[in-house]
Amino acid sequence: MWTVVATNTTSSTTNTYTPSSNTVGTLYYYVRVTNSNGCIKASNASGSVTINPVAIITNQVNTYCSGTSFTRTLVTGNGITVPANTTYSWNAPVVTGGLTGGAPGTAQTSLNGTLFNPTNTPQTATYTVTPRTGSCDGATFTYTVTINPKASITVADLNICSATPFSFTPTDGTNGNIVPANTTYAWTTP
């Protein structure tokens, strides 16, 4: 909890104060009324203002594999401020390459989802997120996730002669195969 006593010597009754804290605080103030001839009013007004913190979050990025559930919990540090009990809401993300699974979220305690990449190259999903602490919304930020593809290869039946070397190279797009670049294989003998 922080406390500030403030005065404003201008004719304005409006004052803006942004605390650096990420906790609820109280700003105490008093007003001394002085007219144009310098006379001070006998009684001074005073009061307090409760200042609720807002989340200050820079744009975020991350990378996941297709079909893998992700959860990203943000904490204060590295240039961001996340007050206690901050929640996040977002609409369905803007996607590339036909990514699927991007769902909206409301009042979530972390950034989360599961996206599926139907291609053989990395694709992105960009969420526009609004943080909320208590009744105060922070500025929106983006959470851009790159979704790497996973190989998906259908069963291949080969007909070869005994003692004859053979090889099989799955082809992307053939028989529903998804074969990202640099895919390698491992197998056991029957």
Side-chain angles (χ1 to χ4, degrees):
M1 171 93 54
W2 45 265
T3 302
V4 177
V5 176
T7 60
N8 184 349
T9 57
T10 68
S11 60
S12 172
T13 58
T14 302
N15 206 354
T16 301
Y17 181 73
T18 303
S20 60
S21 174
N22 66 350
T23 59
V24 174
T26 304
L27 174 65
Y28 294 95
Y29 67 91
Y30 67 91
V31 178
R32 183 171 57 186
V33 179
T34 305
N35 65 16
S36 61
N37 64 8
C39 296
I40 298 173
K41 184 177 179 196
S43 64
N44 295 323
S46 64
S48 65
V49 177
T50 298
I51 301 174
N52 294 300
V54 295
I56 302 169
I57 302 172
T58 56
N59 293 338
Q60 303 291 303
V61 296
N62 225 324
T63 301
Y64 303 99
C65 290
S66 179
T68 302
S69 295
F70 62 85
T71 299
R72 176 81 184 270
T73 302
L74 300 173
V75 295
T76 296
N78 297 321
I80 67 174
T81 301
V82 183
N85 304 314
T86 295
T87 60
Y88 307 93
S89 297
W90 60 87
N91 293 327
V94 175
V95 301
T96 64
L99 283 177
T100 60
T106 302
Q108 301 293 304
T109 57
S110 63
L111 309 176
N112 57 74
T114 305
L115 295 165
F116 299 90
N117 183 348
T119 75
N120 68 341
T121 58
Q123 302 298 327
T124 60
T126 302
Y127 296 85
T128 299
V129 183
T130 302
R132 186 174 186 85
T133 306
S135 61
C136 300
D137 287 340
T140 60
F141 64 94
T142 59
Y143 183 44
T144 302
V145 294
T146 298
I147 304 299
N148 287 325
K150 282 185 180 177
S152 176
I153 300 170
T154 57
V155 174
D157 294 318
L158 302 177
N159 187 2
I160 60 168
C161 296
S162 177
T164 302
F166 71 92
S167 67
F168 172 69
T169 304
T171 305
D172 184 69
T174 302
N175 297 326
N177 290 338
I178 297 174
V179 186
N182 303 314
T183 297
T184 59
Y185 306 92
W187 60 90
T188 58
T189 56

